[in-house]
Amino acid sequence: MKFTILINEGPYQHQSSDSALHFVQAALEKGHEIFRVFFYHDGVNNGTRLAVPPQDDRNLPKEWSALAEAHGLDLVICIAAAQRRGVMDADEAKRQGLDADNIAPGFRISGLGQLIEGGIQSDRLVVFGD
Amino acid sequence: MKFTILINEGPYQHQSSDSALHFVQAALEKGHEIFRVFFYHDGVNNGTRLAVPPQDDRNLPKEWSALAEAHGLDLVICIAAAQRRGVMDADEAKRQGLDADNIAPGFRISGLGQLIEGGIQSDRLVVFGD
Amino acid sequence: MAMLHIVNKSPFERNSLESCLLHAKPGATVLLIEDAVVGAAQGTVLSDRIQKALESVKLAVLGADLEARGIAQEKLVDGVNVVDYAGFVDLVTGHDNNQSWL
Amino acid sequence: MAMLHIVNKSPFERNSLESCLLHAKPGATVLLIEDAVVGAAQGTVLSDRIQKALESVKLAVLGADLEARGIAQEKLVDGVNVVDYAGFVDLVTGHDNNQSWL
Amino acid sequence: MSEVKKFLYVNRKAPYGSIYALESLEVVLIGAAFDQDVTLAFLDDGVYQLVKGKNTEAIGMKNFSPTYSALGDYDVTKIYVEKESLEARGLTLGDLMDLKYEDEDDDWAEKDSIRVVSASEMADIMDTQDIVLSF
Amino acid sequence: MSEVKKFLYVNRKAPYGSIYALESLEVVLIGAAFDQDVTLAFLDDGVYQLVKGKNTEAIGMKNFSPTYSALGDYDVTKIYVEKESLEARGLTLGDLMDLKYEDEDDDWAEKDSIRVVSASEMADIMDTQDIVLSF
C-alpha cells in the first residue's frame, strides 16, 4: 500500500517524530511505499541540520535524512509553518533577506497542497502529533 | 520585586511565549525588575532569528529581542536544550563544526545553572509552558 | 503563607485544574489563563465544582484570554474575579509563592 | 467499514481516549500508543471502562511503548492485544480508514 | 486515483492557547482548491473555535474568526458541531458564529453551514471518511 | 539573598511520551550543585517516571531510569510520591524503583528516598516552597 505520514510536532519535545519514524521503517520493511512524509506545525523543526543532541541520544533530523536517502523518501516541510518557526532552505532564506539557512539534507520546503495531494494519492494517511 | 521567568514552549505552537511576554511587559511597566528570562525545552526556539511569520502576525522572537534591547533583559537559552533542537550562536556552531547559526539578537546561550541562580536571586519565579 | 496557583489548560480536556483544586489550600488563589479560562463559565458540567472551590479558594481569570475565547464576563460563575496582565503581576507579588500546573 | 482509532495520550491526563471511545463504532479497533498505553492496565480507575469498551471494539497497545513505561503484558486488562510497529502498520492497512485522537 | 475522496478535518482544541485551530484552518483553505469532498467536525474543546464575539486585541494575536465565515465561498459547507460538546460547555447554537453558504443547486439560496449533530451521528460521519486529518 | 531556598520540582507527566521528565531531571542534577533545599514531587502521571523495569530499546530512546537511583549521591533525598495518584493507576510502592540515600547525620545509614504521602500532605509540601518548578 501507499502511505502519507503527517507529523505535527518537533523532535524530542513529544514522541510523535519517533513514533512516525518507527512506523515508516516498519512499513518499508513490509514492502509498502511511503508516498510522502509531511511536516506541519512544530513538525517542521524535524528538518534542521543544526541539532546536536547528546552522543548517547538519537539524532532525529539525521535519522530522517538517512532514511530519506536510503529509500528515496519525499520529506516535505510546510512553507508557512516553517516561516513562522524559522526553518529555511537556501533559496527561501535568500528570498527573505536572511543571512543563514538551517534545513537538513533530504528535506524540501513546499506548500500545504503537498499534504492534500498526499491524502489523494495514498491509500492511507496516518497522523502523528501531540 | 525581582522576577525570573521560565518559558518551556516554542513560539506559536503554544501560547506560553505570548503570555510570558505580556507578563514581563506588565511587570516592567509596574517598575519591577526582570532578573532573567530563561528558555528551556522547546522554549529555546523563541531565540531564532530565521523566523518570518506572516505580515499580519506578531514576530515573537523579534518582540523578545526588542524588549531585551529596550530594558536590558537577560534572555538565556539553555545550551543542552538548544543543542538538541538546533538553536546555535556563532561560537557554539563553530565548536560543533556546523556551517551556520541562527540565534536572534539579545539572546545568549548558557547552562541550566542560570535558571537555578534566577530562582535564588529573584523574589518570584513564574513558569509558562504547555 | 498563601499560594498562587496558575492553570493554563481547559479543564474539559486535561486534569490540571482538577489536580490543582485538590492541592490548593484554603486561602490560596487559583488563576486561570490561556485555554483554562473556559472553565470559569456558568452552565457547564464543571460550574458546580468551581462554585464549590470558591468556598475555600479565590478564583481569578485573565480577562485578555477570556475575551479571545468569546466568553463574556457576565457569563462567569459568580465570585470569579477578572484581572488584566497587570493584575496577574500583582497576584504573583501578592502571594508568597506560585505554582504553574502544566 | 471498520475504522482504526489511534490514541497517544494518557487517559488519566486527557479526555482523548474517552472521546475516542464515545465515537468508535462497534467493530472498530482502538490502538493505544505512546503515553496512552498506561490506560490499558488492570486495577486502575479506568479498567472497568476499558473492559466495557472491549464488548464492542477491539483494543490494542503498542508493545514498545508499554515496555518503555515498565508495564508488563500480564498486567493488561484481559482481551487487550499487544502489537509491535509492524503490527501497527498491519492495523492501518487492515482497516478502511484511521483517525488519530490528538 | 482520480476519484473524489472524503476528507474530514477534526477540530478538538480551543483556539489561541495553541496554534492547531489556526493552522488547521489554513489546511482547509488550501485543500478546498483540490475539489475533494470536504467535511469539518467540531467536538470537545474544538467547539470554542466557532464561538462568536471574540476579541484578541489584549492577547496580541490576530483574530481569525472572520476566516470561518469565508469557508462558504470556498465551497466548504458541511460543518458539523457536536451537541454533547456544546452542552457540556454551557453553549448553544446561538453562541456560535452564523456561518452561511449559497447553494448553487438550489438557485443560490443562502443556507446554514453549521449542523448540530449528536455524538452518535458524529461517529457515523467519521466512520465514512477516506482521510481524517487531526491536528 | 544568600539564604537557602526551598526548591520543589513538580513532576506530573509520564516519561517518554514527552521530554519533560528527562529534562526536568537534568535541572535537578544541575540544581543539586547549588546547595539549596531540594524536594521532588511525583503526582498524577508523574508517578510513572519512577516505575521500575522499564525497557526503552524498542522505542529507540535512552532509558534514563538509572539517573533516579543516582539522586541520593547528589544529596537529593526528599522524593514524595502521591498515594492517590498511585492508587488511581493501580500501582503500589512495590512497583517503583527502590531509591536510597546514605544519611550523613545518622552514621551513613542507608535510607529510603521515596516517601508516599497523601494529596493533603502533598498540598502542605507545595505550600511551604519558595520556588516551584514545573515542566
Side-chain angles (χ1 to χ4, degrees):
Chain A
M1 275 197 180
K2 216 186 277 187
F3 287 86
T4 284
I5 306 295
L6 170 61
I7 300 177
N8 291 338
E9 301 295 329
Y12 307 109
Q13 190 90 342
H14 300 95
Q15 203 183 342
S16 52
S17 178
D18 290 281
S19 296
L21 188 74
H22 292 301
F23 182 91
V24 167
Q25 284 166 335
L28 290 168
E29 277 166 28
K30 283 184 160 286
H32 294 299
E33 180 189 339
I34 304 296
F35 178 77
R36 182 166 292 152
V37 183
F38 193 85
F39 296 86
Y40 195 41
H41 304 299
D42 268 6
V44 300
N45 291 323
N46 284 287
T48 176
R49 70 171 182 278
L50 303 184
V52 188
Q55 299 275 351
D56 58 356
D57 200 355
R58 75 257 187 237
N59 187 323
L60 283 166
K62 278 211 172 140
E63 292 200 34
W64 281 112
S65 291
L67 203 65
E69 193 176 356
H71 298 273
L73 294 189
D74 187 20
L75 307 182
V76 180
I77 293 175
C78 169
I79 186 163
Q83 285 173 342
R84 268 203 184 90
R85 292 164 179 86
V87 177
M88 294 281 156
D89 63 15
D91 284 352
E92 184 56 18
K94 196 175 168 191
R95 207 169 67 82
Q96 300 286 354
L98 297 167
D99 61 347
D101 69 83
N102 57 349
I103 199 170
F107 290 82
R108 67 186 178 93
I109 294 182
S110 189
L112 278 168
Q114 300 274 312
L115 168 61
I116 306 298
E117 197 207 10
I120 295 170
Q121 297 295 330
S122 304
D123 301 298
R124 296 288 185 278
L125 184 146
V126 186
V127 185
F128 293 88
D130 180 23
Chain B
M1 274 197 180
K2 215 185 278 188
F3 287 86
T4 285
I5 306 295
L6 171 61
I7 300 177
N8 292 339
E9 300 295 329
Y12 307 109
Q13 190 91 342
H14 299 97
Q15 203 184 341
S16 52
S17 177
D18 290 280
S19 297
L21 188 74
H22 293 302
F23 182 90
V24 166
Q25 284 166 335
L28 290 169
E29 277 166 28
K30 284 186 159 283
H32 294 299
E33 181 190 338
I34 303 295
F35 179 77
R36 181 166 294 151
V37 183
F38 193 85
F39 297 86
Y40 195 41
H41 304 298
D42 268 6
V44 301
N45 291 325
N46 284 285
T48 175
R49 70 171 182 278
L50 303 185
V52 188
Q55 299 275 351
D56 59 355
D57 200 355
R58 76 260 187 235
N59 186 323
L60 283 166
K62 277 210 172 139
E63 292 201 34
W64 280 113
S65 291
L67 203 66
E69 190 173 0
H71 299 274
L73 293 189
D74 187 21
L75 307 182
V76 180
I77 292 175
C78 169
I79 186 163
Q83 286 173 340
R84 266 202 187 91
R85 292 163 180 88
V87 177
M88 294 281 156
D89 63 14
D91 283 353
E92 185 56 20
K94 197 174 166 191
R95 206 170 66 82
Q96 300 285 356
L98 298 167
D99 61 348
D101 68 84
N102 57 349
I103 198 169
F107 289 84
R108 66 185 178 93
I109 294 182
S110 188
L112 278 169
Q114 300 273 312
L115 169 61
I116 306 298
E117 197 206 13
I120 295 170
Q121 297 293 330
S122 303
D123 301 299
R124 296 288 185 278
L125 184 146
V126 186
V127 186
F128 293 88
D130 180 23
Chain C
M1 293 181 87
M3 194 166 190
L4 174 68
H5 297 272
I6 304 166
V7 177
N8 75 332
K9 291 296 164 192
S10 161
F12 303 110
E13 186 194 46
R14 299 213 202 176
N15 73 338
S16 53
L17 176 59
E18 187 187 310
S19 187
C20 168
L21 291 177
L22 181 66
H23 294 92
K25 292 178 72 75
T29 299
V30 176
L31 171 66
L32 308 178
I33 69 170
E34 301 179 358
D35 285 347
V37 300
V38 301
Q42 286 170 13
T44 80
V45 289
L46 291 171
S47 302
D48 286 351
R49 178 75 190 90
I50 297 295
Q51 200 91 56
K52 193 164 176 297
L54 281 165
E55 292 169 14
S56 67
V57 301
K58 290 188 272 288
L59 263 157
V61 298
L62 191 56
D65 282 317
L66 205 61
E67 289 167 19
R69 281 137 191 103
I71 300 172
Q73 294 199 14
E74 308 84 67
K75 285 200 68 179
L76 296 180
V77 169
D78 281 344
V80 174
N81 198 23
V82 179
V83 299
D84 59 9
Y85 287 105
F88 182 179
V89 173
D90 289 343
L91 282 175
V92 172
T93 60
H95 288 76
D96 297 299
N97 54 4
N98 70 84
Q99 173 169 1
S100 292
W101 290 81
L102 305 179
Chain D
M1 290 181 89
M3 193 167 191
L4 174 67
H5 297 272
I6 305 166
V7 177
N8 74 332
K9 292 296 166 193
S10 161
F12 303 110
E13 186 194 45
R14 301 214 200 173
N15 72 338
S16 53
L17 177 59
E18 187 187 309
S19 186
C20 168
L21 292 177
L22 182 66
H23 294 91
K25 293 178 72 73
T29 299
V30 176
L31 171 66
L32 307 178
I33 68 169
E34 301 180 358
D35 285 348
V37 299
V38 300
Q42 285 171 13
T44 82
V45 290
L46 291 171
S47 302
D48 287 351
R49 177 78 190 87
I50 296 295
Q51 198 91 58
K52 193 164 175 302
L54 282 165
E55 292 169 13
S56 68
V57 301
K58 288 187 274 285
L59 264 157
V61 298
L62 191 55
D65 282 317
L66 204 61
E67 288 167 20
R69 281 133 190 108
I71 300 171
Q73 294 200 15
E74 308 84 66
K75 286 199 69 177
L76 296 180
V77 170
D78 281 343
V80 174
N81 197 20
V82 179
V83 299
D84 58 10
Y85 287 105
F88 182 178
V89 173
D90 289 342
L91 283 174
V92 172
T93 59
H95 288 77
D96 297 299
N97 54 3
N98 70 84
Q99 172 170 2
S100 292
W101 290 81
L102 304 180
Chain E
M1 290 273 187
S2 64
E3 88 276 29
V4 168
K5 283 196 177 182
K6 295 175 71 114
F7 275 70
L8 176 69
Y9 296 87
V10 175
N11 298 281
R12 294 184 53 251
K13 292 174 184 172
Y16 302 112
S18 58
I19 202 169
Y20 305 104
L22 169 60
E23 289 190 334
S24 167
L25 199 50
E26 291 181 353
V27 181
V28 173
L29 295 179
I30 298 288
F34 283 76
D35 291 324
Q36 303 294 305
D37 182 359
V38 173
T39 302
L40 269 57
F42 292 86
L43 62 154
D44 295 336
D45 279 352
V47 299
Y48 288 117
Q49 296 181 28
L50 299 179
V51 168
K52 66 184 174 191
K54 294 194 178 76
N55 179 351
T56 59
E57 211 175 312
I59 60 166
M61 294 191 205
K62 190 189 163 192
N63 184 345
F64 56 91
S65 295
T67 310
Y68 294 101
S69 302
L71 286 173
D73 302 334
Y74 285 82
D75 288 329
V76 175
T77 62
K78 287 182 286 185
I79 300 180
Y80 295 96
V81 177
E82 189 167 296
K83 187 167 165 279
E84 287 84 346
S85 301
L86 287 174
E87 287 174 354
R89 288 158 185 79
L91 299 170
T92 66
L93 184 58
D95 293 310
L96 306 187
M97 291 183 280
D98 191 19
L99 306 184
K100 304 278 193 189
Y101 72 101
E102 294 176 341
D103 189 347
E104 59 178 321
D105 297 331
D106 189 9
D107 199 22
W108 305 99
E110 198 177 61
K111 297 190 175 174
D112 291 318
S113 299
I114 293 183
R115 294 163 232 188
V116 177
V117 297
S118 68
S120 164
E121 289 169 310
M122 188 63 93
D124 289 337
I125 292 162
M126 290 171 169
D127 197 47
T128 58
Q129 303 297 321
D130 295 308
I131 301 288
V132 182
L133 286 164
S134 35
F135 302 101
Chain F
M1 290 274 187
S2 64
E3 89 275 27
V4 168
K5 283 196 175 181
K6 293 174 71 115
F7 275 70
L8 177 69
Y9 296 87
V10 175
N11 298 282
R12 293 184 54 250
K13 293 174 183 171
Y16 303 111
S18 57
I19 204 170
Y20 306 105
L22 169 60
E23 288 190 335
S24 166
L25 198 51
E26 290 181 355
V27 181
V28 172
L29 294 178
I30 298 289
F34 283 76
D35 290 325
Q36 303 293 306
D37 182 359
V38 173
T39 302
L40 270 58
F42 292 85
L43 62 154
D44 295 336
D45 279 353
V47 299
Y48 289 116
Q49 295 181 29
L50 300 179
V51 167
K52 66 185 175 190
K54 295 193 178 78
N55 179 352
T56 60
E57 209 175 314
I59 61 166
M61 295 192 204
K62 190 190 163 190
N63 184 345
F64 55 92
S65 295
T67 310
Y68 294 101
S69 303
L71 287 173
D73 302 334
Y74 285 82
D75 289 328
V76 176
T77 61
K78 287 183 286 185
I79 300 180
Y80 295 97
V81 177
E82 190 166 294
K83 187 166 163 282
E84 287 84 345
S85 302
L86 287 174
E87 286 173 356
R89 289 159 184 78
L91 298 171
T92 65
L93 183 57
D95 292 310
L96 307 186
M97 290 183 280
D98 190 19
L99 306 185
K100 303 280 194 187
Y101 72 102
E102 294 176 344
D103 189 348
E104 58 178 321
D105 298 331
D106 190 9
D107 199 21
W108 305 100
E110 198 177 62
K111 297 187 175 178
D112 291 320
S113 299
I114 292 183
R115 293 164 234 189
V116 176
V117 297
S118 69
S120 164
E121 290 169 309
M122 188 63 93
D124 290 337
I125 291 163
M126 289 171 170
D127 197 46
T128 58
Q129 302 297 321
D130 295 306
I131 302 288
V132 182
L133 286 164
S134 33
F135 302 99

